[in-house]
Amino acid sequence: MKLQRKNRLRATALGALAVSGALVLTACGSDDNTGGSTPGTGDKTTAASSIDCGNAKGQLRASGSSAQKNAMDLWVKNYMAACSGVEINYNSSSSGEGIVAFNQGTVGFAGSDSALKPEEVAESKKSCKTGQGINLPMVGGPVAIGYHLEGVDKLTLDAPTLAKIFDTKIKKWNDPAIAKLNDGVDLPDKAIQAFHRSEDSGTTQNLGKYLGAAAPKDWKYEAEKKWPAPGGQAASNSSGIAAQVKQVDGAIGYFELSYAKSQGISTVAIDNGGSAPAEATSENASKAIAAAKVTGTGKDLALELDYTTQAEGAYPLVLVTYEVVCDSGNKAETLDTVKSFLSYAASDDGQKILTEAGYAPIPAEINAKVRETINGLS
């Protein structure tokens, strides 16, 4: 009893530091609603958060999107503090690698910044056995265009100019196209060093979707996870690009906003045709994501984003990271943990902490469908 009380107090104290303290309890899909606890797996609920440990136990392995790494780190920290005896191991690799691991059946869920393709859904049926892989939108946010240019702490670009930069058509920072968008800014005669992802990446694909939609005359490439344009320099993962941009004067790259915030990297404001350029912020990304439409069928909640929005203040270069799970046929030994953990991530508390790390919560109407779907996983 003393040990249980000690664990309960520890979970409560840590949960209070990490989340808002709302006394909201969300179901994790377990049929056990007695309010008891499973020996060795922590308390059924915590008093300071919406974490319901349920029958979660053992180790849950997941992998994929590096764009959501900082969000996942927060969720895992809070969840494991509340649910002793449970270990969540998320390998921040890339969307492409995450999908491969999921379809090979080596992870309980995968993170991907792009929805599953039809061929990937077909492949998932081998590991899901009685079902197939589905997309659950869990994290939103801006894809920040980070840059390092000594003496320039404010920079505006538009889609055509970004397309030409990443296609190596614009090679100098004082190019007339950049100067036109930055009246009064002293732009140096310095070579642009554009960095892109070396591995298959959902962030790359989202950048391609944005450039293809907003600058179709200047970006002729298909939106794929593999970087399509010649030239430029490659770096591994969002963290690798951020590290290069921070280090190299004249560099520009793309990564999730939290990497820019944590490393003090300047970000580009995007001229989307509105009255003023839109800064890369969680609030401005939310304005763009709010217009997203569910295009998935059945339990699949894949979204369609409007990359050409001219809504006031909307930052158009956004992505949504999906947690990819089996709608049915999940492994029995990890199903309860998958449902419990993802229920926390989709809870009010789980979504609320996203803005603190530079992410944008999923719109409430869509998130309600996500919670319902998680509860029905089998």
Side-chain angles (χ1 to χ4, degrees), residues 288-302:
I289 296 173
K293 297 179 181 178
V294 175
T295 56
T297 58
K299 294 182 179 180
D300 186 82
L301 297 175

Side-chain angles (χ1 to χ4, degrees), residues 152-157 173-187 271 277:
V152 178
D153 56 9
K154 189 174 183 180
L155 186 69
T156 296
L157 297 173
W173 278 109
N174 62 347
D175 187 277
I178 300 177
K180 183 178 180 180
L181 293 166
N182 294 274
D183 187 37
V185 177
D186 186 14
L187 296 167
D271 183 349

